[in-house]
Amino acid sequence: MNIKYNELKELIAKALENNGVDNKRANLMAKIHADSSLKGVGSHGLNRIPRLVDFIHEDLVDINGDLQLVKSSGAIERYDGNLGFGVINAIKASERACELAKENGIGLVAVKNTTHWMRAGTYGEIIADNGYIGLLFTNTESLMPLWGSNEKSVGNNPVCISIPSKSGNIILDMALSQYSYGKVDTLKNLNKNLPYPGGFDSDGVLTDDPEKILESGRFLPIGYWKGSGLALCVDLLTSVISEGRTTYDMDKENSWNCTGCSQLFIAINPRLLSDADTNESIINNVKGKVEEIDNKSTDSVRFPGQGLLYREKRNLENGIEVDDMYLKQVRELAGNL
């Protein structure tokens, strides 16, 4: 089914307000979730709302929690997220990183004790839209095996790199598993297999069956042992600087869905040592080369984030295609069947 952007946003806001969230927070959360669905990432948009409401009622998210400054030194600040909405904490942390970058050329904000930030690209876009390069990291509970292990033993620890450009920001947003949990869960509900193997079944055999991967809980690291090592380093990077929970701390507490996770938000001023026109020329030269690359597949060759721009334009014109099951659940939560 297709739904208009504003209708989806109002529906999500109403569902959250009906479950105790104040109007200001509900509308901000609704915008971010609706934007994700608009850009074709429904797994972190509309589809997450029923689960988020469950977390609210299970006290896994403090609907009134807010960022609290713990320590600062020059361009670096550390905050406690107080288990508030990960989305709202991440917006504030991204904006603060930009303010620090404006003052110092670079800004780093570390956040501990926060919750799922949904789509990492949201915050890469905030930083890039302000004219800064963004580097963002989060850890999670264990979702995939360290290479050589037969058990879940490292998080899929998403990473985002964003580069501002007048011709369209470059936004690389990826979990360090071959597919994010949300993508696997979405394809399972659609009774579709993954395009490529994305994890192991309960017997340790690589599979493209999302149901078998969710059953075993063993997602495949990107680049096999390389992704495994990178995920471990991201865990240490986020937890050491934020003085927050590691993946193993979250495992010990039986945390789920990034509850109590650690995050980093870095903004860098690309105009500090070169001018904006030079930067734009470099970026456009690379984009031009990407467009010239011979395409032998059904999917177009594109720079990271280009698909988001295309889907946003298409969905604003035609409406957003959403999963009927999740739409029904959110309408029930909103009292608007």
Side-chain angles (χ1 to χ4, degrees):
M1 178 176 178
N2 282 29
I3 184 171
K4 292 295 185 183
Y5 171 75
N6 285 332
E7 182 184 350
L8 179 61
K9 187 168 61 172
E10 291 169 8
L11 186 66
I12 294 172
K14 183 62 176 174
L16 293 174
E17 285 189 73
N18 278 358
N19 286 276
V21 183
D22 67 71
N23 179 266
K24 183 177 179 180
R25 283 187 173 92
N27 278 287
L28 181 53
M29 293 286 291
K31 180 183 184 307
I32 299 303
H33 282 271
D35 284 353
S36 289
S37 288
L38 177 68
K39 294 175 181 181
V41 194
S43 60
H44 290 68
L46 171 75
N47 301 9
R48 288 280 176 147
I49 298 303
R51 186 186 301 172
L52 179 60
V53 169
D54 287 341
F55 284 0
I56 291 171
H57 291 297
E58 293 167 11
D59 294 324
L60 296 176
V61 175
D62 183 347
I63 60 175
N64 297 309
D66 206 349
L67 285 185
Q68 179 182 4
L69 181 64
V70 175
K71 196 171 185 179
S72 64
S73 179
I76 301 175
E77 293 183 348
R78 177 189 292 164
Y79 289 82
D80 189 325
N82 290 307
L83 289 181
F85 285 119
V87 166
I88 296 176
N89 284 343
I91 291 171
K92 292 180 178 179
S94 300
E95 291 173 344
R96 181 56 184 156
C98 291
E99 292 170 357
L100 290 169
K102 184 177 181 180
E103 298 168 10
N104 303 284
I106 187 170
L108 186 155
V109 172
V111 181
K112 68 176 183 178
N113 195 33
T114 189
T115 58
H116 201 309
W117 64 5
M118 300 301 155
R119 186 176 66 91
T122 296
Y123 318 108
E125 289 164 5
I126 288 173
I127 292 174
D129 285 344
N130 277 281
Y132 301 101
I133 291 171
L135 301 171
L136 303 105
F137 308 89
T138 185
N139 64 2
T140 74
E141 70 280 9
S142 287
L143 288 168
M144 57 188 190
L146 278 167
W147 196 250
S149 168
N150 289 320
E151 62 178 296
K152 291 186 296 181
S153 43
V154 70
N156 66 357
N157 302 344
V159 171
C160 179
I161 301 173
S162 61
I163 301 170
S165 172
K166 294 176 183 176
S167 59
N169 297 330
I170 293 175
I171 308 287
L172 175 68
D173 173 3
M174 64 179 193
L176 296 183
S177 53
Q178 186 66 36
Y179 296 97
S180 70
Y181 184 98
K183 179 69 172 179
V184 174
D185 188 51
T186 296
L187 289 176
K188 186 204 79 164
N189 291 328
L190 293 172
N191 293 314
K192 292 183 178 180
N193 281 3
L194 301 168
Y196 303 97
F200 303 88
D201 64 20
S202 298
D203 295 320
V205 178
L206 275 175
T207 179
D208 60 4
D209 186 329
E211 189 166 1
K212 290 182 178 178
I213 296 169
L214 290 169
E215 182 181 328
S216 71
R218 295 168 56 194
F219 287 62
L220 177 68
I222 62 166
Y224 301 99
W225 50 89
K226 294 180 181 180
S228 168
L230 182 57
L232 188 64
C233 287
V234 169
D235 182 30
L236 288 169
L237 187 68
T238 55
S239 58
V240 167
I241 298 177
S242 70
E243 209 173 50
R245 291 176 178 85
T246 66
T247 288
Y248 300 129
D249 292 327
M250 285 185 274
D251 291 347
K252 186 177 179 180
E253 296 171 8
N254 293 317
S255 296
W256 191 66
N257 204 57
C258 304
T259 301
C261 63
S262 306
Q263 298 175 344
L264 286 184
F265 304 79
I266 302 171
I268 303 169
N269 186 351
R271 301 172 302 282
L272 196 63
L273 301 175
S274 63
D275 62 82
D277 289 341
T278 300
N279 293 338
E280 193 67 24
S281 175
I282 292 170
I283 293 167
N284 285 332
N285 282 340
V286 171
K287 286 181 176 178
K289 291 297 182 183
V290 170
E291 290 176 358
E292 293 171 5
I293 292 171
D294 185 27
N295 175 28
K296 296 186 186 317
S297 71
T298 55
D299 294 324
S300 61
V301 177
R302 59 195 182 210
F303 63 83
Q306 191 171 5
L308 297 174
L309 299 173
Y310 166 76
R311 291 190 294 269
E312 180 178 15
K313 182 176 183 296
R314 179 196 65 193
N315 291 339
L316 280 173
E317 293 173 354
N318 304 324
I320 305 165
E321 185 177 354
V322 296
D323 187 300
D324 289 351
M325 178 186 75
Y326 288 112
L327 182 62
K328 180 181 178 183
Q329 290 175 7
V330 175
R331 279 185 167 154
E332 288 173 347
L333 291 169
N336 183 26
L337 273 175

